[in-house]
Amino acid sequence: MSIPAEEPRVTLAQLATVAGVSLSTISKVLNGRADVSPKTRAKVEELLEEHGYRRRKVSAARAALVELVFHELESAWALELIRGVENVAREHGMSVVLTETGTRHAPGNEWIEGVMARRPAGVVLVFSDLPQDFRSKLDARSIPFVIIDPAGDPSPDVPSVGSANWSGGMMATRHLIDLGHTRIAAISGPEDMMCSLARIDGYRSAMGMASLPIDPEFIRYGNFHVDGGRDHAFSLLRSPHPPTAIFAGSDLQALGVLDAARQIGLRVPDELSIVGYDDLQLAQWSSPALTTVHQPLIQMAEEATRMVLRLRDGERPNNLRLDLATSLVVRQSTAAPSAPASMPAKARAAGTAQQRA
């Protein structure tokens, strides 16, 4: 059975008949109730989209909330984004609800059921993309979404806000080259994240423009956390020909590099220069204070929230992808290279013991 195309309006009763379910089940799906099987929900959702059924928008039905969704809430990086979303939400008399779910690539399946029940005014997601079925469900509920700092390559029709990662990697490396360094290593984030690859591409471009060779062992992929920077730094600094400078793809990894240098016995910046990425508040409190690439995290979150609220109000931006500029902040962790890097046997042994531990 099919619904005649010439009928002016698709009714809920017709949808229920076609789907082979009760009218109350259709109502539950429309209202985001969780007590509907995934198979039935998918079938009803497909019919809603196929026949162009759209509920009347009732502003009172949506909570005065902006939902911010992460895959992890452990780092200072997340706090910067929270601050930005809260700034704009406060301006509009709204509250922010935080959700932790899924992996860095996409939210978990349980999240979509919950957000349909909460029905926020909009959703800001810190993921690489959003599965198509999730997008369809949000659209059916008139819940707009924006992805912030996408780690992957979101579809052209997905609203997103990011930053100039390639430019950031290039300016960090150029700074070290201008100081006189030629043996420069880079520790980026996970290799399956677009921002990690873009920062490495910027590093490669700067080295290439300066006609400097790149040791393949000098390109590492960490996890954006302290331990990722520390572990790779131990390996790099214990090598027969260690780098004199390291560009870390996050401030947390840069702090890990700094910790490894201390344990090995290298003075920063006299014997090793370090550049971070993000410009978190903790970067200026480290010892020495960290030279880093400023990524405008608060502004990125603010722009993402403004965009999602404009979408809520029925406005569609001319450009669904916004990239904000990065800049270099020079502090005390970088300097011109001294004598060729070397490592006393005792310090090398200490580094080896630490790595084993």
Side-chain angles (χ1 to χ4, degrees):
M1 178 178 179
S2 62
I3 299 174
E6 65 271 10
E7 290 191 14
R9 181 177 178 82
V10 177
T11 67
L12 295 182
Q14 287 175 309
L15 286 171
T17 300
V18 174
V21 299
S22 66
L23 192 57
S24 64
T25 299
I26 296 289
S27 178
K28 288 179 181 179
V29 173
L30 283 171
N31 289 285
R33 293 273 297 275
D35 52 341
V36 180
S37 71
K39 183 177 180 180
T40 299
R41 184 183 300 280
K43 187 175 184 179
V44 173
E45 291 283 1
E46 184 178 353
L47 282 171
L48 287 170
E49 184 173 357
E50 178 183 349
H51 296 288
Y53 184 87
R54 292 292 182 270
R55 298 173 304 159
R56 293 188 182 95
K57 293 184 178 181
V58 182
S59 59
R62 287 190 288 186
L65 297 172
V66 175
E67 183 157 345
L68 177 57
V69 189
F70 292 91
H71 80 278
E72 63 177 3
L73 285 168
E74 297 179 355
S75 72
W77 187 87
L79 296 177
E80 297 285 282
L81 297 179
I82 293 169
R83 186 176 295 113
V85 173
E86 286 184 332
N87 288 346
V88 176
R90 191 181 305 114
E91 292 173 2
H92 290 80
M94 306 178 75
S95 300
V96 178
V97 58
L98 300 178
T99 302
E100 184 177 18
T101 178
T103 68
R104 61 176 175 266
H105 298 292
N109 290 327
E110 78 288 347
W111 170 77
I112 193 66
E113 302 295 333
V115 75
M116 288 190 298
R118 289 186 291 274
R119 295 181 66 186
V123 180
V124 176
L125 301 117
V126 188
F127 293 94
S128 60
D129 207 343
L130 195 62
Q132 182 59 54
D133 60 328
F134 283 17
R135 296 185 220 166
S136 299
K137 291 176 180 179
L138 292 175
D139 183 60
R141 303 297 184 281
S142 299
I143 302 175
F145 70 92
V146 174
I147 292 177
I148 188 169
D149 191 42
D153 187 13
S155 305
D157 60 340
V158 172
S160 61
V161 177
S163 67
N165 288 292
W166 180 88
S167 177
M170 184 173 185
M171 69 177 67
T173 311
R174 280 296 302 269
H175 170 66
L176 294 169
I177 293 171
D178 290 343
L179 288 172
H181 293 276
T182 58
R183 295 185 59 78
I184 303 170
I187 306 173
S188 194
E191 195 170 3
D192 61 350
M193 295 177 70
M194 186 73 142
C195 57
S196 303
L197 298 174
R199 291 169 197 178
I200 289 295
D201 285 345
Y203 158 84
R204 289 182 185 276
S205 295
M207 295 290 282
M209 291 175 63
S211 299
L212 293 175
I214 298 176
D215 185 335
E217 289 297 314
F218 279 13
I219 296 179
R220 303 295 181 95
Y221 293 96
N223 58 8
F224 283 145
H225 294 291
V226 172
D227 62 323
R230 182 192 298 117
D231 293 346
H232 282 295
F234 273 127
S235 174
L236 288 164
L237 297 175
R238 290 174 52 244
S239 65
H241 302 286
T244 62
I246 296 178
F247 161 47
S250 73
D251 287 344
L252 294 179
Q253 287 192 156
L255 293 180
V257 175
L258 184 60
D259 184 46
R262 285 178 181 146
Q263 294 188 51
I264 288 173
L266 293 176
R267 294 170 298 164
V268 176
D270 298 337
E271 296 171 294
L272 178 70
S273 285
I274 304 172
V275 178
Y277 200 107
D278 287 328
D279 193 24
L280 302 177
Q281 289 189 4
L282 54 81
Q284 57 188 305
W285 299 334
S286 67
S287 180
L290 193 62
T291 294
T292 185
V293 175
H294 175 75
Q295 182 173 209
L297 295 172
I298 293 177
Q299 291 82 359
M300 288 161 61
E302 289 174 342
E303 290 298 331
T305 310
R306 292 189 184 102
M307 185 184 294
V308 86
L309 294 179
R310 287 196 296 269
L311 290 168
R312 174 203 61 172
D313 295 336
E315 301 178 25
R316 186 172 177 84
N318 294 328
N319 188 357
L320 290 177
R321 171 64 182 179
L322 177 63
D323 279 317
L324 302 185
T326 52
S327 58
L328 183 70
V329 180
V330 179
R331 297 193 178 101
Q332 287 79 53
S333 66
T334 52
S338 56
S342 61
M343 185 180 304
K346 182 178 179 180
R348 184 175 300 177
T352 303
Q354 176 64 29
Q355 191 177 51
R356 287 174 178 167

